[in-house]
Amino acid sequence: MNKKIKVESPGRINLIGEHVDYNGGSVLPGAIDKKVEFIIENIDGDNCFIESKTIDKKFEFKFASLEKSDEHWHNYILGTVNYLINKKNQKISAFSCKIDSILPIGAGISSSSALISGLASGLIEINNLKIDKSEIVDIVSDVEHNYIGLKGGIMDQFTILNGKKNKLIHLECHSRNFKYVNAEFNDYQLILLNTNVEHNLANTAYNDRVEECNHALELINEKYNNKFSSLCEVELNIVERFKTILDKKIFNRASFVVNENIRTHIASKKLNEFKLIELGNLMYQSHKGLKNLYEVSCKELDFLVELTKPHNQIIGSRMMGGGFGGCTINLIHKKFKNEFIEKASKIYLKNFGIDLTAIEINICDGIKIKNLQTD
Ligand code: GLA
């Protein structure tokens, strides 16, 4: 039976809780109304046809040759298919897939996970496979780790799959327990400001952070009889005891992670209580830690965050996502939004010679699949 479907796979924002997902901590993300769209259809024969309208490229492949490719973007597709066939032993039919995206690439809003999650969900649907959302989270991680080379956590794909309109997800990444929190900001609005820079080495530096955190955990566990299964389980006072024992850089990483996790818990509570000013302060603290202790920011991101500080119509701002470029996330008064965007764009262009892009977002549902035809 041939099926033709449309899959809409959203990007995500993260209000707070950065670089804690792979440390077993809590995050506060939401899916957004900027999406990757796929038309996927199963077809006869052995060849699969992929076309990306976004980058205006095509390629085809057979299930017999799913090795990693030198063409980076092919790996998102090949890795996903390889996982289903060779790791999960699923039978899938040849397919064609047309991809169209309005998610900016490299902006820290997870175009990469949206692509893999959307394709995996689509292939599961057209082949009637029995694979649940939690397993899709693992598929995406595996593809990102082994085909894309980013040793990321589960925040992005979990959000893309479980997003809910007007709700953020308070997700505990270690247990995968989660609850929805109202994303209501009264007179304020979430605006992303895209630096439009993506510093290279971002993947390498990201993976270095993962290793540094694992190293910190190992050293702490050596003294605590392997008590902790993730860095975010370590209490702050215990981390503090390691200040003179750990190498300064490793201590800073661990200290940031444990504090950021605490901030996420407080932020979730503040959002529930509508204490938006306090929530905004936590966003600024998060940025400070990401810049000084975790060292994943860059001059363009820092510049944009600094720019918000003199304005009391802006109550929170910080870099978002993996870092080294991409977007800041800002909580701005609706009436001040246009004036600020205009001002920020001018001064950013003057300083860096780069156009700034403001992205207005709404929090929306996760992946949606629509049947277009069955015969
Ligand atoms: C990237 C990764 C996520 C997460 C963030 C930082 O988006 O894919 O898993 O680690 O960076 O919070």
Short mmCIF file of all heavy atoms in Angstrom, two decimals, residues 12 14 17-22 27 108-110 112-113 144 150-157 206 210 290 318-323, ligand 1:
data_model
loop_
_atom_site.label_atom_id
_atom_site.label_comp_id
_atom_site.label_asym_id
_atom_site.label_seq_id
_atom_site.Cartn_x
_atom_site.Cartn_y
_atom_site.Cartn_z
N ARG A 12 12.93 24.58 17.89
CA ARG A 12 12.63 24.78 19.32
C ARG A 12 13.38 25.99 19.88
O ARG A 12 14.41 26.39 19.36
CB ARG A 12 12.98 23.55 20.15
CG ARG A 12 14.46 23.16 20.18
CD ARG A 12 15.17 23.53 21.48
NE ARG A 12 16.61 23.38 21.35
CZ ARG A 12 17.41 24.33 20.92
NH1 ARG A 12 16.93 25.51 20.56
NH2 ARG A 12 18.70 24.12 20.83
N ASN A 14 14.68 27.53 23.82
CA ASN A 14 14.88 27.06 25.19
C ASN A 14 14.95 28.30 26.07
O ASN A 14 15.82 29.14 25.89
CB ASN A 14 16.18 26.24 25.29
CG ASN A 14 16.35 25.65 26.67
OD1 ASN A 14 15.38 25.45 27.39
ND2 ASN A 14 17.59 25.40 27.05
N GLY A 17 18.23 26.76 30.87
CA GLY A 17 18.68 25.37 31.08
C GLY A 17 19.54 24.97 29.90
O GLY A 17 19.22 24.05 29.16
N GLU A 18 20.65 25.72 29.72
CA GLU A 18 21.49 25.45 28.54
C GLU A 18 22.66 24.56 28.91
O GLU A 18 23.25 24.70 30.00
CB GLU A 18 21.98 26.80 27.99
CG GLU A 18 21.99 26.90 26.50
CD GLU A 18 20.61 26.74 25.87
OE1 GLU A 18 19.90 27.75 25.74
OE2 GLU A 18 20.25 25.60 25.50
N HIS A 19 22.98 23.65 28.02
CA HIS A 19 24.10 22.71 28.23
C HIS A 19 23.93 21.87 29.49
O HIS A 19 24.91 21.47 30.11
CB HIS A 19 25.45 23.46 28.25
CG HIS A 19 25.89 23.88 26.87
ND1 HIS A 19 26.58 23.05 26.02
CD2 HIS A 19 25.69 25.04 26.19
CE1 HIS A 19 26.81 23.68 24.88
NE2 HIS A 19 26.26 24.89 24.95
N VAL A 20 22.71 21.65 29.87
CA VAL A 20 22.49 20.74 31.01
C VAL A 20 21.85 19.42 30.57
O VAL A 20 21.85 18.46 31.33
CB VAL A 20 21.63 21.37 32.15
CG1 VAL A 20 22.36 22.52 32.81
CG2 VAL A 20 20.27 21.80 31.65
N ASP A 21 21.31 19.39 29.34
CA ASP A 21 20.58 18.16 28.96
C ASP A 21 21.49 16.92 28.96
O ASP A 21 21.12 15.87 29.48
CB ASP A 21 19.81 18.31 27.64
CG ASP A 21 20.64 18.62 26.41
OD1 ASP A 21 21.83 18.96 26.54
OD2 ASP A 21 20.08 18.49 25.29
N TYR A 22 22.72 17.09 28.43
CA TYR A 22 23.62 15.92 28.41
C TYR A 22 24.29 15.71 29.77
O TYR A 22 25.13 14.83 29.93
CB TYR A 22 24.66 16.04 27.28
CG TYR A 22 25.45 17.33 27.27
CD1 TYR A 22 26.57 17.49 28.05
CD2 TYR A 22 25.05 18.39 26.46
CE1 TYR A 22 27.30 18.68 28.04
CE2 TYR A 22 25.75 19.57 26.45
CZ TYR A 22 26.88 19.71 27.23
OH TYR A 22 27.58 20.90 27.22
N VAL A 27 15.56 21.31 31.63
CA VAL A 27 15.52 22.35 30.60
C VAL A 27 14.09 22.88 30.50
O VAL A 27 13.16 22.26 31.02
CB VAL A 27 16.01 21.79 29.25
CG1 VAL A 27 17.48 21.47 29.29
CG2 VAL A 27 15.22 20.53 28.85
N GLY A 108 20.81 27.93 16.13
CA GLY A 108 20.62 27.43 17.50
C GLY A 108 19.16 27.13 17.79
O GLY A 108 18.76 27.06 18.95
N ILE A 109 18.34 26.98 16.74
CA ILE A 109 16.95 26.63 17.00
C ILE A 109 16.63 25.23 16.47
O ILE A 109 15.49 24.87 16.23
CB ILE A 109 15.93 27.68 16.49
CG1 ILE A 109 16.21 28.08 15.05
CG2 ILE A 109 15.94 28.90 17.36
CD1 ILE A 109 15.26 29.16 14.53
N SER A 110 17.72 24.48 16.31
CA SER A 110 17.59 23.05 16.12
C SER A 110 17.05 22.57 14.78
O SER A 110 16.24 21.64 14.71
CB SER A 110 16.74 22.48 17.26
OG SER A 110 17.11 21.17 17.44
N SER A 112 18.71 20.94 12.80
CA SER A 112 19.27 19.61 12.62
C SER A 112 18.38 18.51 13.23
O SER A 112 18.03 17.53 12.56
CB SER A 112 20.66 19.68 13.24
OG SER A 112 21.18 18.47 13.52
N SER A 113 17.98 18.70 14.48
CA SER A 113 17.09 17.70 15.10
C SER A 113 15.72 17.69 14.45
O SER A 113 15.07 16.65 14.38
CB SER A 113 16.90 17.99 16.59
OG SER A 113 18.08 17.74 17.27
N GLU A 144 22.72 11.92 15.39
CA GLU A 144 23.53 13.11 15.67
C GLU A 144 24.92 12.72 16.16
O GLU A 144 25.92 13.31 15.75
CB GLU A 144 22.83 14.01 16.69
CG GLU A 144 21.64 14.73 16.05
CD GLU A 144 20.92 15.72 16.95
OE1 GLU A 144 21.12 15.67 18.19
OE2 GLU A 144 20.13 16.51 16.43
N LEU A 150 27.86 15.34 16.48
CA LEU A 150 27.57 16.20 17.64
C LEU A 150 27.05 15.32 18.77
O LEU A 150 26.04 14.64 18.63
CB LEU A 150 26.50 17.24 17.27
CG LEU A 150 26.30 18.30 18.35
CD1 LEU A 150 27.29 19.44 18.16
CD2 LEU A 150 24.89 18.85 18.35
N LYS A 151 27.79 15.37 19.90
CA LYS A 151 27.43 14.47 21.01
C LYS A 151 26.36 15.11 21.90
O LYS A 151 26.55 15.24 23.11
CB LYS A 151 28.68 14.13 21.84
CG LYS A 151 29.86 13.61 21.01
CD LYS A 151 29.63 12.18 20.57
CE LYS A 151 30.81 11.66 19.73
NZ LYS A 151 30.54 10.45 19.00
N GLY A 152 25.28 15.57 21.28
CA GLY A 152 24.25 16.34 21.98
C GLY A 152 23.38 15.53 22.94
O GLY A 152 23.47 14.30 22.99
N GLY A 153 22.55 16.25 23.67
CA GLY A 153 21.61 15.62 24.61
C GLY A 153 20.27 15.37 23.93
O GLY A 153 20.19 15.31 22.70
N ILE A 154 19.21 15.29 24.75
CA ILE A 154 17.91 14.90 24.18
C ILE A 154 16.90 16.05 24.11
O ILE A 154 15.78 15.86 23.67
CB ILE A 154 17.26 13.75 24.99
CG1 ILE A 154 17.00 14.20 26.44
CG2 ILE A 154 18.10 12.50 24.93
CD1 ILE A 154 15.89 13.43 27.11
N MET A 155 17.34 17.25 24.56
CA MET A 155 16.37 18.34 24.65
C MET A 155 15.66 18.63 23.32
O MET A 155 14.43 18.78 23.29
CB MET A 155 17.07 19.61 25.13
CG MET A 155 16.26 20.87 24.94
SD MET A 155 16.99 22.28 25.72
CE MET A 155 18.28 22.73 24.59
N ASP A 156 16.43 18.72 22.25
CA ASP A 156 15.86 19.21 20.99
C ASP A 156 14.80 18.26 20.45
O ASP A 156 13.66 18.64 20.18
CB ASP A 156 16.97 19.41 19.96
CG ASP A 156 18.02 20.39 20.42
OD1 ASP A 156 17.85 20.97 21.51
OD2 ASP A 156 19.02 20.58 19.71
N GLN A 157 15.19 17.00 20.30
CA GLN A 157 14.25 16.05 19.70
C GLN A 157 13.06 15.78 20.61
O GLN A 157 11.93 15.59 20.14
CB GLN A 157 14.95 14.75 19.28
CG GLN A 157 15.66 13.97 20.35
CD GLN A 157 17.11 14.39 20.49
OE1 GLN A 157 17.41 15.57 20.48
NE2 GLN A 157 18.01 13.45 20.65
N TYR A 206 31.69 22.02 21.26
CA TYR A 206 30.54 21.43 21.95
C TYR A 206 30.95 20.07 22.54
O TYR A 206 30.74 19.79 23.71
CB TYR A 206 29.37 21.26 20.97
CG TYR A 206 28.11 20.74 21.60
CD1 TYR A 206 27.07 21.60 21.98
CD2 TYR A 206 27.93 19.37 21.86
CE1 TYR A 206 25.92 21.11 22.57
CE2 TYR A 206 26.79 18.88 22.46
CZ TYR A 206 25.78 19.76 22.80
OH TYR A 206 24.64 19.27 23.40
N VAL A 210 31.20 18.45 26.46
CA VAL A 210 30.61 17.19 26.92
C VAL A 210 31.69 16.38 27.66
O VAL A 210 31.48 15.88 28.77
CB VAL A 210 30.03 16.36 25.74
CG1 VAL A 210 29.49 15.02 26.21
CG2 VAL A 210 28.96 17.15 25.00
N LEU A 290 27.25 31.21 30.89
CA LEU A 290 27.61 30.61 29.58
C LEU A 290 28.82 31.33 28.99
O LEU A 290 29.66 30.72 28.33
CB LEU A 290 26.41 30.71 28.62
CG LEU A 290 25.25 29.75 28.94
CD1 LEU A 290 23.94 30.25 28.35
CD2 LEU A 290 25.57 28.35 28.42
N ARG A 318 19.54 36.30 26.81
CA ARG A 318 20.70 35.40 26.93
C ARG A 318 20.92 34.69 25.60
O ARG A 318 20.03 34.67 24.74
CB ARG A 318 20.49 34.37 28.04
CG ARG A 318 19.29 33.47 27.81
CD ARG A 318 19.22 32.39 28.89
NE ARG A 318 18.50 31.25 28.37
CZ ARG A 318 19.05 30.25 27.70
NH1 ARG A 318 20.35 30.22 27.47
NH2 ARG A 318 18.32 29.27 27.24
N MET A 319 22.11 34.15 25.44
CA MET A 319 22.34 33.32 24.25
C MET A 319 21.54 32.03 24.40
O MET A 319 21.26 31.59 25.51
CB MET A 319 23.82 33.00 24.03
CG MET A 319 24.50 32.29 25.17
SD MET A 319 25.84 31.17 24.66
CE MET A 319 24.96 29.68 24.20
N MET A 320 21.19 31.42 23.27
CA MET A 320 20.36 30.22 23.33
C MET A 320 20.97 29.10 22.48
O MET A 320 21.54 29.37 21.42
CB MET A 320 18.97 30.57 22.79
CG MET A 320 17.94 29.49 23.00
SD MET A 320 16.38 29.94 22.22
CE MET A 320 16.77 29.64 20.51
N GLY A 321 20.85 27.88 22.97
CA GLY A 321 21.33 26.73 22.20
C GLY A 321 22.80 26.44 22.47
O GLY A 321 23.35 26.84 23.50
N GLY A 322 23.44 25.78 21.51
CA GLY A 322 24.82 25.33 21.69
C GLY A 322 25.83 26.46 21.84
O GLY A 322 26.83 26.33 22.52
N GLY A 323 25.58 27.59 21.17
CA GLY A 323 26.46 28.75 21.32
C GLY A 323 27.37 28.97 20.13
O GLY A 323 27.16 28.41 19.05
C1 GLA B 1 22.39 21.88 21.21
C2 GLA B 1 22.18 20.39 21.51
C3 GLA B 1 21.25 20.20 22.71
C4 GLA B 1 21.69 21.05 23.90
C5 GLA B 1 21.96 22.49 23.48
C6 GLA B 1 22.57 23.31 24.60
O1 GLA B 1 21.17 22.43 20.77
O2 GLA B 1 21.67 19.71 20.40
O3 GLA B 1 21.19 18.84 23.04
O4 GLA B 1 22.81 20.49 24.53
O5 GLA B 1 22.84 22.55 22.37
O6 GLA B 1 21.68 23.41 25.66
#
